[in-house]
Amino acid sequence: MDAVVELDRVTVTYGGHVALRGVSSQFPPGAVGLLGPNGAGKSTMIKSLLGFIKPTDGRLRVFGLDVAASPLEIRARIGYMPENDGHVPGMSAVSFVAYCGELCGLPVDDATRRAHEVLHYVGLGEARYRHVETYSTGMRQRIKLAQALVHDPDLLFLDEPTNGMDPRGRDEMLDLVRDLARHKGVNVIVSSHLLPDVEYTCDHVIVLDKGRIAAAGTIDELKGPPGRVFEVRVKGDVAAFVARLTAAAIECHDTDDDVLRVFVPGDPPGPGAEQQRICRIAREAGVQVRHLRPSLPTLEDVFARAIGER
Ligand code: ADP
């Protein structure tokens, strides 16, 4: 399968600050999650792919076209839903989206027809004659998706698409993203700090950290086989326990709930053997095991491991 997006040793600097450090990566067709902590370089990557930022070094390709050589041709095939609002006050949703269509090169009549279509598609059909500044946050997210879709792009960049949405609106937005990727043949790149959103919409993720690729692959591959992750809660010197696990090449990291997620590498030697090993290490560290349970690997684990969180 041909990659939709390719980066070949891309470096981007702002003044003396390096935001992307020789990044090489390929985004396959379908829906890809772009993950990373704040400042990892996600927006810089998206802006470079759109041709808004010129890399100091390296090459970027979208649909096989060089971004430096064909920026307009590429932009005509990309829809971009930015994180921040960019509405024009005093315009109705339908005139705003039609205007965005014209800016993408659509003739007026086509732009207007498409504006009605996409506003219906994103669930704003009834509100389409209202001024955008009267919209709720959730509605503003939807209109941003509508303007990104107006010219029928082959690739969509969605930056934090569910920001500020209530749970129902968020579910509806995620269903739209899934529908676009799975049934409408649109390639989608979702940048989000909400890992469940990415897990619901994407098959593949690319994790950036400090301007480098920290992990890339299908979510299933990166999670690894089930049965190798354990939830552990101990009483006593947790740091000593973690140090012993680490010395035994067993990775672990904290969760918000005071539970350690412990990853045992290699093939299981036999039923219960890993639990026994964890209990033995706890005894050696002088801590009491209060809770020990096998768990399923999650995208949170993939993310935490990729960026080396403990
Ligand atoms: P992310 O989208 O993952 O939060 P960004 O791409 O926005 O990360 O930023 C990557 C790094 O580049 C950060 O350290 C950020 O502070 C820096 N950066 C981003 N934009 C600029 C800018 N316009 N000028 C200087 N530094 C910037």
Side-chain angles (χ1 to χ4, degrees), residues 7-14 20 22-23 44-45 47-61 66-69:
L7 292 99
D8 185 13
R9 286 163 290 167
V10 174
T11 295
V12 175
T13 51
Y14 296 105
L20 292 179
V23 170
T44 301
M45 185 186 276
K47 287 178 193 160
S48 308
L49 288 166
L50 287 162
F52 296 160
I53 292 176
K54 292 207 179 353
T56 329
D57 205 2
R59 294 175 66 157
L60 301 114
R61 279 192 204 83
D66 191 309
V67 174

Side-chain angles (χ1 to χ4, degrees), residues 78-95:
I78 296 182
Y80 175 41
M81 176 179 175
E83 185 177 2
N84 299 322
D85 288 353
H87 311 304
V88 183
M91 268 181 127
S92 70
V94 77
S95 24

